[in-house]
């Protein structure tokens, strides 16, 4: 909220647990979105709501009143800075790592970056969007690291320092190299995914969501040479 009393709402990406709460905000709230995030919402927002609703009765109940998404007050292409009256907030579209509309939120004075699902503490990344790209995801991590954040706030799990970004970079770089190597050895997509799921579960025993490695490796196999 700005010193003038204006309330701004920015989301890191289009998934329902990040966006549908906007319906609870006052109608005067200024919703600011990256153009590509808005495109993602238009094309796949309600599909995402349906997919999440199908996961459990609890989620279905939470999402039952979601019939659509609010229109943004303003959109931006690559970057926008909000001046909240002595506090400057940079909104940076990074795009097609986790989703097409990935947006980082950087609080300049405090050097805090809200990384969405692009970097989370001790959790394997979810690589499910059709547009997801390891190379783009790595570029997004580099862009956030260049901000030199003192604190990184992932969309899920705990907060931490810039080592969260570095850990994701190490993981994705290692996985990419292993996929290329195993593919060159003639391993199938499924063989590669099973191998890497086991390797990385052993390498990162305290990371949550290890099954995500299987899908990530399968998708990377189809994208990498």
């Amino acid at each position: 909220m700005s010193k003038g009393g204006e309330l701004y709402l920015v989301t890191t990406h289009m998934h329902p647990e990040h966006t549908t709460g906007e319906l609870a905000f006052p109608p005067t709230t200024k919703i600011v979105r990256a153009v590509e995030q808005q495109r993602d919402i238009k094309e796949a927002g309600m599909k995402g709501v349906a997919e999440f609703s199908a996961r459990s009765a609890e989620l279905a109940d939470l999402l039952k009143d979601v019939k659509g998404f609010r229109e943004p007050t303003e959109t931006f292409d690559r970057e926008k800075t909000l001046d909240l009256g002595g506090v400057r907030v940079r909104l940076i579209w990074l795009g097609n790592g986790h989703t097409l509309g990935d947006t980082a939120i950087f609080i300049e004075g405090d050097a805090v970056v809200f990384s969405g699902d692009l970097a989370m503490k001790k959790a394997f990344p979810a690589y499910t969007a059709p547009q997801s790209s390891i190379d783009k995801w790595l570029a997004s991590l580099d862009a956030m690291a260049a901000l030199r954040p003192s604190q990184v706030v992932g969309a899920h799990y705990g907060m931490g320092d810039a080592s969260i970004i570095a850990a994701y970079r190490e993981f994705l770089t290692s996985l990419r190299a292993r996929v290329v190597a195993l593919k060159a050895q003639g391993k199938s997509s499924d063989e590669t995914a099973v191998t890497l799921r086991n390797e990385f579960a052993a390498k990162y025993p305290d990371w949550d969501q290890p099954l995500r490695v299987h899908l990530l490796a399968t998708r990377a196999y189809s994208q990498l040479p």
Side-chain angles (χ1 to χ4, degrees):
M1 180 179 288
S2 71
K3 284 189 175 180
E6 294 173 313
L7 182 62
Y8 290 89
L9 178 63
V10 182
T11 48
T12 57
H13 58 289
M14 55 79 70
H15 287 150
E17 79 273 32
H18 301 273
T19 51
T20 54
E22 68 186 18
L23 299 175
F25 283 78
T28 54
T29 301
K30 294 186 175 182
I31 297 174
V32 184
R33 291 194 192 116
V35 168
E36 293 301 322
Q37 188 178 136
Q38 177 62 14
R39 174 185 160 195
D40 225 2
I41 286 172
K42 287 288 188 183
E43 294 179 354
M46 289 309 297
K47 179 182 177 183
V49 170
E51 289 175 351
F52 272 63
S53 296
R55 292 182 181 182
S56 71
E58 181 182 16
L59 284 175
D61 184 60
L62 287 171
L63 295 169
K64 66 179 185 299
D65 295 325
V66 178
K67 307 302 180 186
F69 292 78
R70 288 170 64 166
E71 288 297 314
T73 310
E74 183 179 352
T75 59
F76 64 95
D77 290 321
R78 293 278 176 179
E79 184 170 341
K80 177 178 178 59
T81 298
L82 297 176
D83 187 343
L84 303 182
V87 178
R88 287 169 55 86
V89 181
R90 290 174 62 188
L91 315 178
I92 308 167
W93 172 70
L94 298 170
N96 71 310
H98 178 59
T99 69
L100 179 65
D102 291 334
T103 302
I105 303 165
F106 184 61
I107 315 301
E108 287 188 341
D110 298 316
V112 175
V113 66
F114 291 82
S115 57
D117 282 22
L118 286 170
M120 296 181 290
K121 188 175 184 178
K122 294 185 177 181
F124 289 105
Y127 193 74
T128 55
Q131 307 94 341
S132 291
S133 159
I134 285 184
D135 287 343
K136 185 62 179 178
W137 200 315
L138 286 168
S140 297
L141 294 172
D142 288 344
M144 289 191 291
L147 297 170
R148 305 179 73 85
S150 61
Q151 291 289 313
V152 175
V153 185
H156 307 277
Y157 302 92
M159 294 171 54
D161 58 23
S163 64
I164 293 175
I165 296 173
Y168 257 48
R169 195 181 204 296
E170 179 185 4
F171 165 72
L172 288 171
T173 300
S174 298
L175 183 134
R176 181 176 63 179
R178 290 293 290 138
V179 168
V180 170
L182 291 171
K183 192 172 183 178
Q185 293 171 20
K187 299 295 184 181
S188 69
S189 174
D190 194 58
E191 287 173 328
T192 297
V194 170
T195 297
L196 296 189
R197 189 177 72 197
N198 292 331
E199 286 183 5
F200 286 106
K203 186 175 181 180
Y204 298 93
D206 58 345
W207 280 31
D208 202 7
Q209 306 283 359
L211 290 180
R212 288 177 172 175
V213 177
H214 193 106
L215 178 58
L216 204 164
T218 301
R219 292 282 307 281
Y221 188 97
S222 69
Q223 295 174 342
L224 295 170

